[in-house]
Amino acid sequence: MIQRLDTFGGRQLHLRPPCRADGPAMHKLVADCPPLDLNSVYVYLLLTEHFSQTCIVAEDGRGLLGMVSGYRPPGRPEVLFVWQVAVHPRARGQGLGLRMLEQLLARRGPRPVRWVETTVGPGNQASRRLFGRLADRAAAAVKESALFEAPLFGLQAHEAEPLLRLGPFPCRQ
């Protein structure tokens, strides 16, 4: 599914599932979006190969502007776990992250997404606002609970990653 939007400075924007060739560009995009955790190129290739239907990329004529990576946890087909949301600095503040998330929720699949889960550190206020807006637009609740406490990350000096659970989202299928 490709959606063409003319909302970024008169340029066409394509929102679509990623393909294998997008893996290196997804890696570079995340590298350009600190403080996101950068994974190996191999991880982004696997996302394009195995999870393209639960991931989305946004591109214009200059390359990738954004991506959302996610998956449906085994045994929980009504849940979309959002792993990373990255928006290139030149596209921030224009609602691209929210648009990508809403496009993912609108995709047809074997079962509709009723719940969105993600982990967001307490210091990541931009992501917390993004998921709050997503919940608000769907009149969905947001519940926070402990998941990965800081000591689990070992010596990486990583803050805790509590779980945010949004939903239920209305059935669209």
Side-chain angles (χ1 to χ4, degrees), residues 26-169:
M26 292 166 69
H27 178 268
K28 181 173 181 345
L29 176 64
V30 172
D32 291 341
C33 295
L36 287 179
D37 291 332
L38 182 62
N39 298 286
S40 69
V41 173
Y42 184 69
V43 169
Y44 297 101
L45 290 169
L46 286 173
L47 287 168
T48 67
E49 185 69 14
H50 294 193
F51 301 103
S52 65
Q53 291 308 306
T54 54
C55 295
I56 192 167
V57 294
E59 67 179 349
D60 66 3
R62 294 170 51 193
L64 287 190
L65 286 175
M67 67 152 246
V68 175
S69 60
Y71 60 90
R72 293 197 186 212
R76 299 170 59 211
E78 292 184 335
V79 174
L80 174 67
F81 184 88
V82 175
W83 182 6
Q84 286 186 310
V85 177
V87 175
H88 193 279
R90 69 184 167 93
R92 290 190 184 147
Q94 301 176 55
L96 182 58
L98 182 60
R99 184 165 306 194
M100 289 187 296
L101 287 168
E102 289 177 334
Q103 282 291 311
L104 276 177
L105 290 175
R107 282 189 185 161
R108 298 218 178 266
R111 297 199 53 190
V113 172
R114 299 282 305 182
W115 304 92
V116 171
E117 293 181 350
T118 191
T119 60
V120 180
N124 190 341
Q125 292 303 309
S127 287
R128 287 176 171 272
R129 284 191 302 273
L130 170 63
F131 285 101
R133 283 193 307 272
L134 178 65
D136 287 347
R137 286 176 61 126
V142 179
K143 294 193 177 173
E144 182 170 337
S145 61
L147 185 60
F148 300 125
E149 298 299 329
L152 291 173
F153 292 97
L155 300 176
Q156 291 185 359
H158 195 291
E159 69 178 346
E161 290 277 344
L163 179 72
L164 299 182
R165 182 172 167 87
L166 292 65
F169 286 85

Side-chain angles (χ1 to χ4, degrees), residues 3-16 58-66 90-91:
Q3 181 182 12
R4 288 179 168 80
L5 302 168
D6 191 13
T7 59
F8 281 80
R11 295 183 305 258
Q12 272 191 333
L13 179 70
H14 299 272
L15 295 175
R16 60 174 175 77
E59 67 179 349
D60 66 3
R62 294 170 51 193
L64 287 190
L65 286 175
R90 69 184 167 93

